[in-house]
Amino acid sequence: MTAALALSGAVLAGLASPPATADDGVLRADQAIARECAAEPLPDGAPGTAHRAVTAGAGGLVQVRLAPDGPGVGDWDVAVFDRATGELVAASAALRSVELAEGFVADGQELVVQACRYAGTARSVRLGVDFLAVPVDGEGQRAEIVRVHTPTRAHKDRLLALDLDLTEKADATGVEVVLATDEDRRALAAAGLDTTVVRPDVSARSVANARADRDYAARVDRSPLPSGRTAYRHLYDYEYEIKDLARRNPGLVRAFTLPERTWEGRDVVGAEIAADVDAIADGKPVSLVMGVHHAREWPAGEHAMEWAHELVAGYRGDAAIRSLVARTRTIVVPIVNPDGFSVSREAEPRGDLTRFDYEMKRKNCAVADSPEDLRTGACAANPAGRLRGTDPNRNYPGFWGGAGASPTWSSDVFRGSAPFSEPETRNIRSLVSTRQVTNLLTLHTYSNLVLRVPGVAAVRPPLDEPEYKALGDRLAARNGYVSQPSWRLYDATGTTEDWSYFATGGWGFTIEIGPDEFHPPFETGVVAEYAGLAPAAGAGRGGNRAAFLDMLANTADPAAHSTLVGSAPRGHSLQLRKTFQTPTSPVVLPDGSVGSPLSVTDTLTSTLAAPGGRFTWAVNPSTRPFVAGRHGREPRGPAQQPIELANPPGVPAVNTDYPADQTAEVIPFRVDGPPVDNGKMTVSVRWGTPASDWDLYVLDASGAIVAASETAGTDSEAAVMFDPPAGEYRAVVVHYEQARPSGPDDWSGLRVDFASPLPPLYGPKEAYTLTCSDPRGRLVSVTEVFVDRGQTADVGDVCARRAKR
């Protein structure tokens, strides 16, 4: 749908004088018509519509709300058009009659509000309209992206303590960071961290991207995407497409509203796709795909929505996809954070007009933790700008309160006041806790990564690590991304899959879409990345489309989850339940001190409607990974003996710019393979006094840096690598600073030490409680059930034994 609409004179004339209503706050329509309210302005008297003329009382934001009024259940939508041109200004199209349409307007602009009765019996709806002043360009400061050099854990910890806006583009030696203001630049400079500018003017880039998107939409009628779209969706596009898919595909698509509204009162909507989709409690394995936890990451929502279209179209015309859809259930929530997304999306540059501070919003629109004077007003008109709110992907209980999230409300990675303090994360908790989600994808931008648990380096990999890693590697082979644990970026706590996996055992991944932008041009960030076209890393490999199909195939594979089989009479209801408590991280407090962990209670409850006779129920393992134990391996041989490395003659010149400046001493060494078994390699070096400074890097045979140590104020460095592959390596010793006035302070004692792998650690086994209730809801039986991943447990005639009363 385009923003500017070509309208006939008759339609515009019909909108010139919308009718008054008997009650100024109520709009009425006697007929329901399933159509897109935002597609075009309809003339006065068009069936199923009601209109209201309004004039903007301030330059900035218009907010138009609908709320249910009177008897009946209905679905009303709303759109706001410029009265003179017919251009769409704002819209909302959720599944009920709770609507909030927001858009930017000029002072005195004449508008027409169009309410459309889409479905249901409710003949009236209550209308509210507000105008709020919003400054253009925020403070007008230049935003840039820099790469902060963090070759050691200490450097990363120092960066994390600054509460800056970190991207997910990171590796062993650096992290890309958004510097939005001069204050950000001063804070980074004061920390003494080295930086390289990656993008000097992000706002100018955003203006250029918006121009490229308009050009692409003008020259391409239909893209290679399943939907054929050629431009980024707005929130109302997602809402309408979800319910339109369900309306056009009964029995295959079910549109639903999640249980909690957002801070600004919006409904959050999703789609479920399955053969016989309305039979929810049928025991099929469930895949959950989510987009836009972070508001500015527009491609995340696009890929999720295209996946829904892919499954619907594939079920009709692709035998392989039809088979997968028949054996699974897929839940798609394209926009987890609709408040924040609406703020960011509606702030897209128009010409050279920018509202960049709003466009770069990451968080939701929470106000509870901000200062009193910043708790009023709409999210897009709040004095705090993009900093209002909580980062939803730091608000889950998984290791909540630790490194990589902030206790400070103004940080872009503010974790919230408590685990699950936000309605957006509680919505996802509801899905995961009640639906036996065996596979989960949470989509983000950017950095071309497939990330798995854990998000904290100090947490050992889980027992599932070999199979879990293999699945991540398989996805990465399709989209061309790098598969790795999340902690390799930097420690991050409170993330989606660190909670969902460790609480349920369902495999979850974060996919960071695209190489270098939060919302790049649609042609590259959405079309190419999804379909596997140049210039995407997955060009020729299938792209994210193929990765999503592999993930769904894993959902359908009984070897990747657990299965219960048994029998129960038709009409009876089976329930699996488990309640447990999990500690968070020791909680970092605003003053920097560390408090005790919190204890978070979770309840997993899922149901199966007994079909009569034998049943099959796909479930997650009984024992949650948090207590199941950690991955390791029994040593297959002794560790390699230490290697002492000699210092070459002379002292290299001072070099503060490695690897750009290659001045250094390079000492080769070899890591052996069987019969030795090296679980850990530590390369270390020392020198005479902390007044000097040497840095240490370890390169593999290809020249890639695989370990590094670059601390300050010490007389030694130690670079660590786990499970080093056999082969040739090089230790690179860089003379970073020479402070001894009497002459060079050379290094000594360069050595390589090896340690055997740690054996696996096994924890206690847990069980589900399985109950059977008769058609009247009376408890019939209670059984304890234990089952591991890949196993099938036969529970027999589960309703045969009477429960104790």
Side-chain angles (χ1 to χ4, degrees), residues 507-588:
W507 282 340
F509 295 93
T510 288
I511 295 186
E512 295 284 352
I513 300 167
D516 55 10
E517 291 188 73
F518 294 116
H519 44 264
F522 187 84
E523 182 178 11
T524 56
V526 180
V527 177
E529 293 289 343
Y530 183 87
L533 305 172
R541 305 182 184 189
N544 276 323
R545 174 190 183 273
F548 294 174
L549 283 168
D550 277 353
M551 189 66 165
L552 190 59
N554 184 266
T555 305
D557 183 359
H561 55 258
S562 304
T563 305
L564 300 183
V565 297
S567 60
R570 181 181 295 275
H572 284 56
S573 176
L574 308 184
Q575 182 186 84
L576 273 183
R577 183 180 178 87
K578 186 195 305 181
T579 297
F580 50 85
Q581 291 188 322
T582 309
T584 67
S585 297
V587 178
V588 178

Side-chain angles (χ1 to χ4, degrees), residues 149-289:
H149 302 291
T150 57
T152 69
R153 179 62 50 180
H155 284 81
K156 283 186 168 60
D157 290 344
R158 198 188 317 168
L159 174 62
L160 292 175
L162 299 178
D163 282 343
L164 296 175
D165 187 359
L166 275 60
T167 75
E168 276 67 42
K169 185 68 174 291
D171 54 31
T173 61
V175 181
E176 289 192 10
V177 178
V178 181
L179 302 179
T181 65
D182 292 337
E183 183 180 357
D184 291 346
R185 282 180 271 275
R186 287 191 293 269
L188 188 56
L193 294 167
D194 295 332
T195 63
T196 300
V197 175
V198 174
R199 182 159 291 118
D201 192 336
V202 185
S203 181
R205 176 71 174 195
S206 182
V207 171
N209 287 350
R211 188 177 301 117
D213 284 346
R214 290 191 292 272
D215 291 345
Y216 180 73
R219 63 183 169 83
V220 176
D221 291 331
R222 182 179 176 84
S223 75
L225 295 172
S227 71
R229 277 195 70 92
T230 59
Y232 280 109
R233 294 167 172 89
H234 295 261
L235 180 59
Y236 50 82
D237 292 317
Y238 286 105
E239 293 168 335
Y240 183 79
E241 280 186 42
I242 284 173
K243 65 185 178 187
D244 194 50
L245 271 178
R247 181 181 64 84
R248 291 186 291 105
N249 296 278
L252 179 63
V253 182
R254 181 180 72 92
F256 65 93
T257 300
L258 279 80
E260 296 205 34
R261 293 178 187 167
T262 66
W263 283 95
E264 294 217 305
R266 287 185 171 90
D267 279 343
V268 183
V269 301
E272 184 162 359
I273 301 159
D276 194 13
V277 70
D278 295 320
I280 295 172
D282 61 3
K284 292 178 182 176
V286 176
S287 170
L288 172 58
V289 179

Side-chain angles (χ1 to χ4, degrees), residues 120-441:
T121 59
R123 298 184 175 214
S124 62
V125 68
R126 188 164 295 276
L127 171 69
V129 181
D130 288 302
F131 296 95
L132 304 103
V134 178
V136 175
D137 254 344
E139 298 177 358
Q141 299 194 62
R142 176 181 56 86
E144 62 182 323
I145 295 178
V146 301
R147 177 179 168 84
V148 181
H149 302 291
T150 57
T152 69
R153 179 62 50 180
H155 284 81
K156 283 186 168 60
D157 290 344
R158 198 188 317 168
L159 174 62
L160 292 175
L162 299 178
D163 282 343
L164 296 175
D165 187 359
L166 275 60
T167 75
E168 276 67 42
K169 185 68 174 291
D171 54 31
T173 61
V175 181
E176 289 192 10
V177 178
V178 181
L179 302 179
T181 65
D182 292 337
E183 183 180 357
D184 291 346
R185 282 180 271 275
R186 287 191 293 269
L188 188 56
L193 294 167
D194 295 332
T195 63
T196 300
V197 175
V198 174
R199 182 159 291 118
D201 192 336
V202 185
S203 181
R205 176 71 174 195
S206 182
V207 171
N209 287 350
R211 188 177 301 117
D213 284 346
R214 290 191 292 272
D215 291 345
Y216 180 73
R219 63 183 169 83
V220 176
D221 291 331
R222 182 179 176 84
S223 75
L225 295 172
S227 71
R229 277 195 70 92
T230 59
Y232 280 109
R233 294 167 172 89
H234 295 261
L235 180 59
Y236 50 82
D237 292 317
Y238 286 105
E239 293 168 335
Y240 183 79
E241 280 186 42
I242 284 173
K243 65 185 178 187
D244 194 50
L245 271 178
R247 181 181 64 84
R248 291 186 291 105
N249 296 278
L252 179 63
V253 182
R254 181 180 72 92
F256 65 93
T257 300
L258 279 80
E260 296 205 34
R261 293 178 187 167
T262 66
W263 283 95
E264 294 217 305
R266 287 185 171 90
D267 279 343
V268 183
V269 301
E272 184 162 359
I273 301 159
D276 194 13
V277 70
D278 295 320
I280 295 172
D282 61 3
K284 292 178 182 176
V286 176
S287 170
L288 172 58
V289 179
M290 298 173 285
V292 190
H293 272 80
H294 293 149
R296 63 195 175 192
E297 299 174 3
W298 305 350
E302 296 293 334
H303 281 64
M305 194 70 233
E306 292 302 325
W307 179 233
H309 282 281
E310 184 83 61
L311 294 182
V312 171
Y315 187 78
R316 306 297 188 199
D318 183 301
I321 293 178
R322 183 181 181 88
S323 174
L324 285 175
V325 172
R327 291 180 286 145
T328 60
R329 287 183 168 271
T330 296
I331 300 172
V332 178
V333 182
I335 309 294
V336 171
N337 173 15
D339 286 351
F341 173 69
S342 179
V343 171
S344 174
R345 183 68 185 90
E346 299 312 315
E348 179 187 30
R350 290 160 175 80
D352 292 328
L353 175 66
T354 65
R355 296 179 175 86
F356 185 70
D357 191 53
Y358 295 103
E359 186 186 347
M360 283 294 109
K361 184 174 179 64
R362 171 185 173 103
K363 303 193 284 185
N364 70 358
C365 288
V367 295
D369 300 289
S370 55
E372 191 70 35
D373 60 338
L374 299 179
R375 296 185 183 184
T376 59
C379 194
N382 188 275
R386 82 174 199 283
L387 295 180
R388 170 175 166 173
T390 296
D391 181 344
N393 203 40
R394 299 295 184 272
N395 187 242
Y396 293 91
F399 311 117
W400 184 91
S406 175
T408 305
W409 77 269
S410 58
S411 169
D412 283 282
V413 289
F414 175 53
R415 69 196 184 200
S417 57
F420 286 134
S421 63
E422 309 307 302
E424 294 85 357
T425 57
R426 292 196 298 271
N427 276 331
I428 302 307
R429 178 193 205 180
S430 175
L431 282 175
V432 172
S433 297
T434 62
R435 297 301 306 275
Q436 287 289 345
V437 172
T438 62
N439 293 71
L440 177 151
L441 291 177

Side-chain angles (χ1 to χ4, degrees), residues 25 77 146 168 214 291 326 333 457 474 486 490 656 668 711:
D77 299 335
V146 301
E168 276 67 42
R214 290 191 292 272
V333 182
R474 190 153 69 247
S486 293
Y490 44 76
T656 60
T711 55

Side-chain angles (χ1 to χ4, degrees), residues 571-572 773-779:
H572 284 56
S773 299
D774 67 17
R776 297 178 62 180
R778 296 176 300 186
L779 185 64

